[in-house]
Amino acid sequence: TVSEAVQASTALPGFYRPARINGVDYVDGGVRRTASIDVAIEHGADLVICYNPFRPFTNRVAHRYVPETGKFESEGTPLADQGIITVLNQVFRTLLHSRLQYGLRQYQEDTNFQGDIIVVEPTERDTRFFAMNPLAFWEGPKAGRHGYVSVTQSIETHYDIVKQILQSYGILMTRREVREGLERMRRFGGSAEGDEVLLREVPRRELDVA
């Protein structure tokens, strides 16, 4: 059933016990691979768009010399000093991100794959995403709204290269569309109208796109 599949897909070891279906135990697919890009490619996809919200956080702690005291003072708090949950969060993100990068390098070196892979991620300094608990399903709407803003900002930053890749597959994108959605989400935030930005229908295209 769908509910069993969802249970198995979210059975992250250490947090939830394996989901037993027809006598077989299943765990979160992230244990084996970060993203199933290979599945899309095996099914003939030429363009793969991968969204990875689990990017490690770059926590810069500055050390400043204070002449008045003759000592160095730190600005910021190291992650190691913020508790075991913060440390495990960073470790979890680092493992997933490094495996994703390893997989991407394999496809870059694979002469049989002539397509394109677009990876969209939060910035390395996105404190809001880092602070979100991925297992707190009740925060899904908030994560969705912030994810929309994060993705749109990433597209805006790399607009020229993303537009060039999409156009080669017959997908048209304008900077106006990117900015309009971002402005609406920023303006209405958690309101119903803001949620409409996430739920709006996108016309389907007959393309080998995953």
Side-chain angles (χ1 to χ4, degrees), residues 44-62:
D46 298 314
L47 172 63
V48 180
I49 301 177
C50 174
Y51 175 56
N52 173 42
F54 298 112
R55 184 174 185 175
F57 181 69
T58 299
N59 185 44
R60 295 187 177 90
V61 179

Side-chain angles (χ1 to χ4, degrees), residues 2 20 35 44 49 51 54 56 70 115 128-129 131-133 139 157 176 191 195 206:
V2 174
R20 183 163 297 174
I49 301 177
Y51 175 56
F54 298 112
R128 291 186 62 185
F129 248 136
M132 286 184 183
N133 181 356
E139 290 192 346
T157 302
R176 177 182 176 183
S191 66
D195 290 340
E206 297 298 327

Side-chain angles (χ1 to χ4, degrees), residues 83-187:
I84 186 63
I85 299 300
T86 299
V87 173
L88 290 177
N89 185 10
Q90 180 76 334
V91 170
F92 175 71
R93 291 169 180 271
T94 301
L95 288 174
L96 292 180
H97 193 261
S98 62
R99 289 198 310 176
L100 175 61
Q101 294 301 313
Y102 176 75
L104 291 174
R105 284 195 296 271
Q106 287 185 312
Y107 286 112
Q108 286 178 329
E109 300 169 357
D110 186 356
T111 57
N112 294 320
F113 177 63
Q114 300 298 318
D116 294 283
I117 301 174
I118 299 176
V119 179
V120 183
E121 298 178 315
T123 66
E124 60 183 9
R125 300 280 292 170
D126 194 324
T127 55
R128 291 186 62 185
F129 248 136
F130 184 74
M132 286 184 183
N133 181 356
L135 300 179
F137 300 116
W138 56 89
E139 290 192 346
K142 182 170 67 175
R145 288 189 291 269
H146 183 63
Y148 181 91
V149 172
S150 173
V151 168
T152 308
Q153 288 175 331
S154 180
I155 294 175
E156 173 75 13
T157 302
H158 306 283
Y159 176 80
D160 291 333
I161 183 63
V162 173
K163 179 181 179 180
Q164 180 181 349
I165 294 174
L166 294 181
Q167 279 187 336
S168 68
Y169 292 92
I171 303 175
L172 302 181
M173 179 180 69
T174 66
R175 196 179 293 272
R176 177 182 176 183
E177 291 175 322
V178 175
R179 290 176 175 173
E180 282 183 350
L182 181 59
E183 289 304 317
R184 284 189 62 193
M185 182 59 70
R186 284 175 170 170
R187 187 180 307 119

